[in-house]
Amino acid sequence: MNEKEYLEKLKSELLNTTNWQSPQMTRKWASTIPATAGVYVFKEGEEIVYVGETGNLRKRMIDLLDSRHHTIRRTIGQKFYSKLEGYTAATTKNKFPTHIEQCVNNHLCTKYKVAFKAISLGRKELEESIESMINTSKKLNKRGKRK
């Protein structure tokens, strides 16, 4: 199997309809995720909106609980809730105000599904391949292609 076939196989396995679940913004939920390297994807309806790769899926899902630790949370807060009264931007040092944090949690739990796959070899390449599929108007990833 060549590299392209390997990546297509991984992509097919990751995006398989049986892998999707509603994220729960709790440590209990995050503890059910394997503590292995892998790739994870968020979708809204049938459209992929975010993809990430990590050395530890469980730790990354725990990061998802805190706006200081995950870009998708900061992007959702800014994109969908920045007009709410009392909004202040989250950064890597400061969370959103409590009411915005609650909005982001609710948004993640009700609007998106997440799928993940343990992958030790080819994570970056798979992430980039999937990221190229994302409609730019829906895209929640912030960075461009890595070097």
Side-chain angles (χ1 to χ4, degrees):
M1 178 181 308
N2 65 33
E3 180 182 324
K4 185 176 179 180
E5 292 168 332
Y6 173 70
L7 289 175
E8 285 303 314
K9 179 180 180 289
L10 291 176
K11 186 188 308 182
S12 176
E13 291 170 356
L14 173 61
L15 301 179
N16 183 308
T17 57
T18 62
N19 290 340
W20 297 97
Q21 60 180 277
S22 296
Q24 304 300 309
M25 295 296 98
T26 65
R27 285 189 175 274
K28 183 178 180 181
W29 171 76
S31 72
T32 67
I33 310 300
T36 60
V39 175
Y40 60 101
V41 179
F42 282 87
K43 73 176 182 176
E44 180 178 19
E46 294 304 313
E47 284 193 80
I48 295 170
V49 296
Y50 185 92
V51 60
E53 67 87 16
T54 180
N56 187 315
L57 288 163
R58 180 180 299 154
K59 285 183 180 178
R60 199 63 182 133
M61 292 304 106
I62 290 170
D63 286 347
L64 187 63
L65 304 175
D66 189 325
S67 293
R68 295 171 295 188
H69 304 303
H70 208 296
T71 302
I72 192 173
R73 288 187 64 87
R74 293 190 296 271
T75 304
I76 289 168
Q78 188 277 322
K79 188 172 184 174
F80 298 104
Y81 302 105
S82 62
K83 302 276 191 243
L84 292 181
E85 187 174 326
Y87 172 88
T88 55
T91 66
T92 57
K93 294 186 193 279
N94 298 304
K95 290 183 178 186
F96 289 116
T98 303
H99 69 294
I100 304 296
E101 287 286 335
Q102 291 168 343
C103 290
V104 172
N105 281 345
N106 185 59
H107 194 100
L108 280 161
C109 292
T110 61
K111 304 259 187 219
Y112 303 127
K113 299 280 188 193
V114 64
F116 50 86
K117 178 163 180 54
I119 299 169
S120 57
L121 183 64
R123 292 189 320 262
K124 182 178 126 183
E125 293 81 1
L126 179 60
E127 177 192 34
E128 289 174 353
S129 173
I130 293 171
E131 188 172 2
S132 71
M133 299 166 45
I134 301 174
N135 176 332
T136 54
S137 69
K138 297 271 188 171
K139 186 176 183 177
L140 298 176
N141 289 70
K142 284 292 193 181
R143 62 168 169 66
K145 187 174 179 179
R146 294 181 190 171
K147 295 179 177 162

